[in-house]
Short mmCIF file of all heavy atoms in Angstrom, two decimals:
data_model
loop_
_atom_site.label_atom_id
_atom_site.label_comp_id
_atom_site.label_asym_id
_atom_site.label_seq_id
_atom_site.Cartn_x
_atom_site.Cartn_y
_atom_site.Cartn_z
N ARG A 1 109.91 26.71 -7.82
CA ARG A 1 110.45 27.99 -7.37
C ARG A 1 110.25 29.02 -8.60
O ARG A 1 110.51 28.81 -9.68
CB ARG A 1 111.84 27.94 -6.97
CG ARG A 1 112.24 26.90 -5.92
CD ARG A 1 111.80 27.32 -4.55
NE ARG A 1 112.34 26.64 -3.51
CZ ARG A 1 112.29 26.77 -2.23
NH1 ARG A 1 111.36 27.69 -1.78
NH2 ARG A 1 112.94 26.12 -1.33
N PHE A 2 109.74 30.21 -8.20
CA PHE A 2 109.50 31.24 -9.14
C PHE A 2 110.28 32.55 -8.77
O PHE A 2 110.31 32.92 -7.61
CB PHE A 2 107.99 31.49 -9.16
CG PHE A 2 107.10 30.41 -9.51
CD1 PHE A 2 106.73 29.50 -8.64
CD2 PHE A 2 106.65 30.17 -10.81
CE1 PHE A 2 105.94 28.37 -8.93
CE2 PHE A 2 105.81 29.11 -11.19
CZ PHE A 2 105.47 28.22 -10.07
N CYS A 3 110.71 33.26 -9.85
CA CYS A 3 111.23 34.56 -9.58
C CYS A 3 110.85 35.43 -10.84
O CYS A 3 111.19 34.94 -11.93
CB CYS A 3 112.72 34.56 -9.35
SG CYS A 3 113.52 36.15 -9.01
N ALA A 4 110.33 36.56 -10.71
CA ALA A 4 110.08 37.46 -11.78
C ALA A 4 110.21 38.89 -11.44
O ALA A 4 110.29 39.23 -10.25
CB ALA A 4 108.52 37.21 -12.18
N GLN A 5 110.22 39.69 -12.49
CA GLN A 5 110.42 41.15 -12.39
C GLN A 5 109.24 41.81 -11.62
O GLN A 5 109.37 42.91 -11.09
CB GLN A 5 110.68 41.89 -13.65
CG GLN A 5 112.08 41.40 -14.25
CD GLN A 5 113.16 41.82 -13.37
OE1 GLN A 5 113.42 42.95 -13.02
NE2 GLN A 5 114.03 40.87 -13.17
N ASP A 6 108.10 41.22 -11.87
CA ASP A 6 106.88 41.86 -11.22
C ASP A 6 105.86 40.76 -10.83
O ASP A 6 106.07 39.68 -11.32
CB ASP A 6 106.26 42.99 -12.07
CG ASP A 6 105.98 42.47 -13.41
OD1 ASP A 6 105.09 41.45 -13.63
OD2 ASP A 6 106.37 43.03 -14.51
N ALA A 7 104.79 41.13 -10.11
CA ALA A 7 103.78 40.20 -9.69
C ALA A 7 102.99 39.65 -10.89
O ALA A 7 102.67 38.39 -10.81
CB ALA A 7 102.92 40.85 -8.64
N ALA A 8 102.68 40.41 -11.75
CA ALA A 8 101.79 39.87 -13.00
C ALA A 8 102.46 38.75 -13.71
O ALA A 8 101.85 37.81 -13.99
CB ALA A 8 101.53 41.11 -13.91
N ARG A 9 103.79 38.92 -13.94
CA ARG A 9 104.55 37.83 -14.64
C ARG A 9 104.62 36.63 -13.76
O ARG A 9 104.46 35.51 -14.32
CB ARG A 9 105.88 38.40 -15.01
CG ARG A 9 105.91 39.55 -16.04
CD ARG A 9 107.32 39.90 -16.36
NE ARG A 9 107.35 41.19 -17.16
CZ ARG A 9 108.45 41.75 -17.55
NH1 ARG A 9 109.58 41.24 -17.28
NH2 ARG A 9 108.46 42.89 -18.21
N LEU A 10 104.83 36.76 -12.51
CA LEU A 10 104.97 35.52 -11.66
C LEU A 10 103.54 34.90 -11.51
O LEU A 10 103.50 33.67 -11.56
CB LEU A 10 105.54 35.96 -10.33
CG LEU A 10 106.04 34.77 -9.53
CD1 LEU A 10 107.09 35.17 -8.65
CD2 LEU A 10 104.91 34.10 -8.65
N ARG A 11 102.59 35.71 -11.44
CA ARG A 11 101.26 35.13 -11.28
C ARG A 11 100.99 34.26 -12.58
O ARG A 11 100.28 33.09 -12.50
CB ARG A 11 100.23 36.25 -11.12
CG ARG A 11 98.84 35.76 -10.73
CD ARG A 11 97.88 36.90 -10.70
NE ARG A 11 96.46 36.59 -10.45
CZ ARG A 11 95.83 36.62 -9.25
NH1 ARG A 11 96.51 37.08 -8.24
NH2 ARG A 11 94.56 36.38 -9.21
N ALA A 12 101.31 34.81 -13.67
CA ALA A 12 101.03 34.07 -15.02
C ALA A 12 101.80 32.77 -14.96
O ALA A 12 101.35 31.76 -15.43
CB ALA A 12 101.35 34.98 -16.14
N ASP A 13 103.11 32.76 -14.59
CA ASP A 13 103.82 31.58 -14.44
C ASP A 13 103.22 30.56 -13.56
O ASP A 13 103.25 29.36 -13.81
CB ASP A 13 105.28 31.98 -14.14
CG ASP A 13 105.96 32.67 -15.19
OD1 ASP A 13 105.47 32.70 -16.38
OD2 ASP A 13 107.11 33.23 -14.92
N MET A 14 102.79 31.11 -12.41
CA MET A 14 102.27 30.13 -11.41
C MET A 14 100.96 29.54 -11.86
O MET A 14 100.77 28.29 -11.75
CB MET A 14 101.94 30.89 -10.12
CG MET A 14 101.28 30.16 -8.93
SD MET A 14 102.51 29.05 -8.14
CE MET A 14 103.23 30.19 -7.05
N MET A 15 100.15 30.28 -12.58
CA MET A 15 98.89 29.68 -13.19
C MET A 15 99.26 28.65 -14.18
O MET A 15 98.48 27.65 -14.37
CB MET A 15 98.02 30.91 -13.72
CG MET A 15 97.50 31.74 -12.72
SD MET A 15 96.54 33.11 -13.43
CE MET A 15 95.11 32.39 -14.10
N THR A 16 100.28 28.88 -15.03
CA THR A 16 100.75 27.80 -15.99
C THR A 16 101.12 26.58 -15.28
O THR A 16 100.77 25.41 -15.70
CB THR A 16 101.93 28.37 -16.76
OG1 THR A 16 101.52 29.55 -17.56
CG2 THR A 16 102.37 27.33 -17.86
N VAL A 17 101.89 26.65 -14.29
CA VAL A 17 102.35 25.49 -13.47
C VAL A 17 101.18 24.79 -12.88
O VAL A 17 100.99 23.52 -12.87
CB VAL A 17 103.35 25.84 -12.37
CG1 VAL A 17 103.59 24.71 -11.38
CG2 VAL A 17 104.65 26.24 -12.90
N LEU A 18 100.21 25.55 -12.25
CA LEU A 18 99.03 24.89 -11.55
C LEU A 18 98.14 24.20 -12.60
O LEU A 18 97.60 23.11 -12.34
CB LEU A 18 98.22 26.03 -10.94
CG LEU A 18 98.94 26.60 -9.71
CD1 LEU A 18 97.93 27.60 -9.08
CD2 LEU A 18 99.46 25.60 -8.75
N ALA A 19 98.09 24.76 -13.94
CA ALA A 19 97.31 24.09 -14.85
C ALA A 19 97.94 22.64 -15.26
O ALA A 19 97.22 21.69 -15.50
CB ALA A 19 97.32 24.94 -16.09
N ARG A 20 99.30 22.56 -15.20
CA ARG A 20 99.94 21.31 -15.48
C ARG A 20 99.72 20.27 -14.30
O ARG A 20 99.92 19.13 -14.63
CB ARG A 20 101.46 21.56 -15.58
CG ARG A 20 101.83 22.48 -16.93
CD ARG A 20 101.88 21.62 -18.09
NE ARG A 20 101.87 22.31 -19.37
CZ ARG A 20 102.28 21.71 -20.44
NH1 ARG A 20 102.70 20.53 -20.55
NH2 ARG A 20 102.17 22.42 -21.66
N THR A 21 99.52 20.74 -13.14
CA THR A 21 99.17 19.79 -12.18
C THR A 21 97.68 19.33 -12.16
O THR A 21 97.38 18.41 -11.38
CB THR A 21 99.42 20.47 -10.69
OG1 THR A 21 98.33 21.46 -10.47
CG2 THR A 21 100.77 21.03 -10.69
N GLY A 22 96.85 20.00 -12.99
CA GLY A 22 95.37 19.62 -13.02
C GLY A 22 94.61 20.33 -11.97
O GLY A 22 93.41 19.97 -11.86
N ALA A 23 95.19 21.27 -11.34
CA ALA A 23 94.42 22.01 -10.20
C ALA A 23 93.43 23.03 -10.86
O ALA A 23 93.67 23.54 -11.90
CB ALA A 23 95.47 22.81 -9.40
N ALA A 24 92.29 23.10 -10.24
CA ALA A 24 91.23 24.02 -10.57
C ALA A 24 91.55 25.34 -9.79
O ALA A 24 91.50 25.26 -8.55
CB ALA A 24 89.90 23.52 -10.25
N LEU A 25 91.80 26.47 -10.46
CA LEU A 25 92.01 27.78 -9.77
C LEU A 25 90.67 28.30 -9.07
O LEU A 25 89.66 28.26 -9.63
CB LEU A 25 92.57 28.69 -10.78
CG LEU A 25 93.99 28.45 -11.29
CD1 LEU A 25 94.39 29.48 -12.46
CD2 LEU A 25 94.91 28.66 -10.19
#
C-alpha cells in the first residue's frame, strides 16, 4: 500500500517496489 503527498513521489516508490519484484516496467 502506498500513500504520498503527490503523484511523482508515489510513482517513484511504486517503481522501487516493482524493481524488488523483478518486474520489467
Side-chain angles (χ1 to χ4, degrees):
R1 303 283 200 181
F2 302 79
C3 182
Q5 294 298 309
D6 56 56
R9 296 180 189 182
L10 195 148
R11 186 184 178 103
D13 289 345
M14 181 73 80
M15 292 174 70
T16 298
V17 168
L18 295 183
R20 291 278 166 160
T21 71
L25 289 171

